[in-house]
Amino acid sequence: MKKHIYDESNGLSYTLHGDYYLPDLAVNEEESTYGKYGMLRKQFLKEHRPARYQYLVMTGELTGHLNQVDQDAREQVEILVKQMAEKQSVTEQLKMQDQMKWVGLMNNINICAEEIVLQGIVYM
């Protein structure tokens, strides 16, 4: 039996260990740099989409995927917060007149925008 073989159908090479051919896999030790939404996406994939998670790990695309999800989610939250604040007339003038009201409204807007993004991007 050959010590090393290459399977063109899946693009993997194998090495003989005892009686079995095991795939020659290498873990990409890329530094993970994703943020809050990337971490939430990773946890979601592990718990609810294990096949997708394993595929991303095996192909070395996990960190790139998590970074993209994190970036998309942050951008979407920012856009939604601006739109919701404008629609609810939460302005700098209100901030100067009544800071506590402004803080309460902005906190509510941030929470709503984040929940929309979590359901639409992260937990999909």
Side-chain angles (χ1 to χ4, degrees), residues 12-71:
L12 292 175
S13 59
Y14 296 84
T15 303
L16 183 64
H17 294 278
D19 293 336
Y20 300 100
Y21 282 105
L22 300 177
D24 297 330
L25 301 176
V27 177
N28 187 358
E29 294 295 333
E30 186 176 315
E31 187 75 28
S32 56
T33 58
Y34 42 86
K36 171 185 177 180
Y37 301 108
M39 287 187 273
L40 290 170
R41 176 68 174 174
K42 182 178 180 180
Q43 190 64 34
F44 173 77
L45 289 173
K46 276 184 173 179
E47 292 177 11
H48 301 285
R49 305 285 190 277
R52 173 92 170 124
Y53 177 76
Q54 287 300 322
Y55 172 78
L56 290 169
V57 169
M58 298 297 279
T59 58
E61 298 174 4
L62 180 64
T63 302
H65 173 74
L66 297 176
N67 283 327
Q68 187 63 47
V69 167
D70 189 69
Q71 180 182 353

